[in-house]
RNA sequence: GGGCCUGUAGCUCAAUUGGUUAGAGCAGAGCGCUCAUAACGCUUUGGUUGGGGGUUCGAGUCCCUCCGGGCCUACCA
């Protein structure tokens, strides 16, 4: 039995996330966590909300709420949506937790001791009307290069020229529109990542099996221009982790907080402490996952994230861990994803474009989304959600191939033998061939799951479902029954066992439906099959079952059109 | 501008990393079955692998070039 630590990128707090966010980290992480648990491994699956930063403060202001209250509410909303999608987190924490405050300050203290923190004085734009410093992109003005009047302080979207906020003509706050701006001197802490560059490079170079997407982004940052740059890890904000050196005050840093990207990954660790603290368990219980000096040497740590998160997970966070000089667990494998687009464009939280998690669950059960999203995960390039593809995929795969198989087997049995596994008859070459095929496909399925090749795993699972229909078609128990009822009974007995096997194998993808099927088979044996032939005799003759309701109803053309129209514009 | 990724059948994707005649699913066509959610099975149509050039006995795969799509470019997260 192995021990697997799994984290998915922690979703930002500023609003309800769309399906692109879901498929880019949490959903695949959940698939992997569920699979590894089913295979008997010890799994710790952690996630949290990422609650700090300017956008969180602005979202709270827009909602007319104090930021702490806003974040608490949004955390509850996201936690509930996670449950709705059956994300099997062992703990869903908050980056604003006291545990994360303490740990973030601890790391900063250790980095300072190691000489990896530098104090830098810099000039930033302050808005009197907004009462805050403005990040570059929150300043708008006219581009000095092309004259575009909505250029941002970091870059002009029209001519793509990189800008400094002070380059803008007639700069104004993007928040309030105020032109009452002032350049102020302010002091910040920088993490001297450049000092750790060679260690990071050696570490990255040693990861030959990581997705190209992951390593190429890391190398780009290591080698771009003058190489890996030091990074500011503090901000002038109210809401965040106060800057401290361990438990000590940090002279000159009063009133400042750590940068959200410094404290967010540390929450992966703090979430584990939140998890044990919640039950009053000792620190040793979470440290055995995170401290290689306290039992984590044999842990395999796997992270899931969208490509936009890769630099922070391959460089900044490892630099924090390496630089601390303490034996924290480094990530072993980083699975990164491209983007899921929506019907010809991007999903957008700010523009309200696409399908959001709450809306998705309102119109269909979680399994529909899980199956389609996972079987179309943007692994090799950006992928696209269209209602036509979604309808076709769900109807064909879930309703026709899997659902209808269950339906035809159980209903045939009920009409000929009653709601009980029939006895009599023996298996022959057809059954042996089926077992051989399933054994081969199961091995492939397992290989793909181990390698986190999600679309391939989904395709293999589907092929396993198809094999049942092929078998049933060629065995034709409805014909056999007329001349040799016992032979038909043997076919049906095996087919009912196939349903149970499908519940076991499909559970990581579609946990609710798997549960329904298992319940209908009046069984609770989720043992992962070591031997297909043996697994297909689990339900013995005489075992009672029930014919389940339609497991997956089809999406009608009318529904498809209705949803397409409903989600074409922006959400309220 | 620079860097990275990507382009394979109408659609969504494969192709053991340079090795037979480029494969699946969906959609389309034909046949079969009648247990089943008008479901299932079998057969089948469909590709100058974005264009052009090169290396090689051999290129979807490597190199050059052009075209298209996307991402990143460090103070959004």
């Amino acid at each position: 039995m192995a021990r697997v630590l799994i984290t998915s990128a922690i979703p930002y707090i500023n609003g309800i996330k769309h399906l692109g966010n879901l498929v880019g980290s949490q959903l695949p992480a959940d698939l992997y966590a569920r699979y590894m648990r089913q295979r008997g491994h010890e799994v710790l699956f952690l996630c949290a909300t990422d609650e700090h930063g300017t956008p969180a403060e602005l979202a709270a202001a827009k909602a007319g709420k104090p930021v702490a209250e806003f974040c608490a509410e949004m955390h509850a909303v996201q936690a509930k949506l996670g449950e709705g999608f059956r994300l099997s987190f062992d703990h869903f924490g908050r980056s604003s937790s006291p545990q994360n405050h303490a740990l973030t300050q601890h790391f900063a203290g250790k980095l300072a001791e190691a000489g990896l923190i530098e104090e830098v004085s810099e000039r930033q734009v302050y808005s009197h009307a907004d009462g805050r410093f403005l990040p570059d992109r929150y300043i708008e003005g006219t581009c000095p290069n092309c004259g575009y009047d909505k250029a941002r302080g970091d870059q002009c979207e029209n001519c793509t020229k990189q800008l400094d906020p002070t380059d803008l003509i007639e700069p104004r706050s993007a928040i309030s529109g105020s032109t009452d701006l002032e350049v102020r001197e302010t002091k910040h802490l920088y993490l001297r990542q450049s000092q750790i560059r060679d260690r990071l490079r050696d570490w990255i170079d040693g990861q030959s099996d990581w997705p190209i997407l992951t390593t190429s982004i890391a190398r780009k940052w290591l080698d771009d221009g003058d190489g890996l740059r030091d990074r500011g890890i503090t901000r002038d904000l109210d809401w965040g982790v106060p800057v401290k050196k361990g438990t000590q005050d940090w002279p000159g840093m009063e009133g400042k907080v750590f940068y959200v990207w410094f404290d967010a990954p540390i929450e992966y660790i703090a979430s584990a402490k939140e998890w044990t603290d919640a039950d009053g368990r000792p620190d040793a219980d979470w440290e055995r996952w995170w401290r290689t000096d306290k039992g984590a040497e044999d842990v395999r740590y796997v992270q899931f994230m969208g490509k936009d998160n890769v630099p922070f997970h391959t460089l900044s966070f490892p630099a924090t861990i390496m630089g601390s000089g303490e034996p924290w667990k480094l990530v072993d494998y980083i699975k990164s994803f491209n983007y899921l687009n929506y019907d010809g464009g991007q999903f957008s939280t700010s523009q309200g474009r696409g399908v959001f998690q709450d809306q998705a669950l309102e119109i269909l059960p979680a399994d529909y989304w899980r199956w389609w999203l996972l079987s179309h995960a943007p692994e090799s390039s950006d992928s696209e959600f269209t209602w036509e593809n979604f309808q076709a995929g769900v109807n064909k795969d879930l309703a026709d191939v899997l659902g209808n198989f269950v339906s035809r087997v159980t209903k045939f049995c009920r009409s000929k033998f009653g709601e009980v596994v029939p006895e009599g008859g023996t298996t022959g070459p057809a059954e042996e061939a089926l077992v051989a095929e399933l054994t081969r496909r199961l091995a492939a399925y397992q290989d793909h799951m181990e390698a986190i090749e999600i679309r391939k795993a989904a395709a293999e699972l589907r092929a396993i479902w198809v094999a049942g229909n092929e078998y049933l078609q060629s065995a034709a128990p409805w014909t056999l029954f007329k001349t040799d009822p016992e032979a038909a009974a043997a076919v049906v007995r095996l087919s009912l066992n196939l349903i149970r096997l499908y519940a076991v194998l499909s559970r990581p993808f579609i946990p609710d439906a798997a549960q329904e099927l298992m319940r209908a088979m009046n069984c609770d044996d989720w043992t992962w099959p070591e031997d297909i032939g043996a697994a297909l005799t689990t339900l013995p003759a005489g075992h009672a079952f029930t014919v389940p309701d339609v497991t997956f109803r089809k999406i009608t053309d009318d529904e498809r059109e209705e949803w397409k129209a409903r989600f074409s514009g922006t959400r309220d």
Side-chain angles (χ1 to χ4, degrees), chain A residues 175-240:
Chain A
I175 302 164
S176 61
S178 167
T179 55
D180 186 11
L181 307 178
E182 173 192 336
V183 176
R184 282 190 186 176
E185 190 92 357
T186 180
K187 193 160 72 175
H188 282 295
L189 302 182
Y190 271 63
L191 174 61
R192 302 175 73 190
Q193 303 183 123
S194 55
Q195 303 293 306
I196 309 178
R197 182 184 175 201
D198 291 341
R199 275 180 76 186
L200 288 168
R201 189 202 309 284
D202 289 346
W203 178 64
I204 296 290
D205 286 347
Q207 312 300 340
S208 55
D209 62 336
W210 286 12
I212 293 171
L213 186 63
T214 305
T215 50
S216 63
I217 290 172
R219 290 208 175 85
K220 155 73 172 166
W221 281 55
L222 281 169
D223 297 323
D224 189 44
D226 297 328
L228 186 62
R229 284 177 240 168
D230 295 340
R231 190 167 187 113
I233 58 164
T234 55
R235 292 289 183 275
D236 289 295
L237 293 173
D238 298 323
W239 173 243

Side-chain angles (χ1 to χ4, degrees), chain A residues 469-497:
Chain A
N469 282 308
E470 289 173 351
Y471 165 73
L472 203 59
Q473 193 67 32
S474 63
W478 46 89
T479 303
L480 217 45
F481 184 79
K482 296 169 187 168
T483 55
D484 188 352
E486 293 222 331
V491 172
V492 170
R493 189 164 63 245
L494 184 103
S495 298
L496 287 165
N497 271 285

Side-chain angles (χ1 to χ4, degrees), chain A residues 44 46 91 93 97-103 266-287 289-290 328:
Chain A
L44 181 60
L46 299 173
H91 183 70
S97 68
Q99 289 88 343
N100 195 40
H101 277 229
L103 197 58
I266 294 172
E267 168 62 14
Y268 290 143
I269 307 175
S271 177
K273 181 165 165 58
E274 292 174 39
W275 169 61
T276 55
D277 284 356
D279 296 332
R281 292 154 63 199
D283 283 342
D285 283 8
W286 69 266
E287 287 175 336
W289 289 99
W290 275 107
W328 297 98

Side-chain angles (χ1 to χ4, degrees), chain A residues 431-443:
Chain A
E431 287 72 25
E432 283 170 27
L434 174 66
V435 168
E437 181 184 355
L438 290 178
T439 299
R440 184 168 48 78
R441 291 201 178 279
L442 175 62

Side-chain angles (χ1 to χ4, degrees), chain A residues 363-423:
Chain A
I363 62 175
L364 286 170
D367 283 349
Y368 286 63
W369 300 106
R370 290 179 61 103
W371 173 256
W372 192 90
L373 290 170
L374 287 168
S375 61
H376 294 79
E379 289 176 298
S380 56
S381 64
D382 292 353
S383 65
E384 176 156 314
F385 176 93
T386 66
W387 288 101
E388 285 79 6
N389 281 342
F390 177 67
Q391 178 196 28
V394 164
N395 284 357
K396 196 69 196 173
D397 298 347
L398 296 182
D400 295 347
V401 175
L402 177 59
N404 184 55
F405 174 77
V406 173
S407 191
R408 63 196 298 210
V409 169
T410 53
K411 286 179 180 171
F412 178 76
C413 183
R414 180 173 62 186
S415 74
K416 304 299 183 195
F417 303 102
E419 285 181 89
V420 65
V421 178
E423 60 183 322

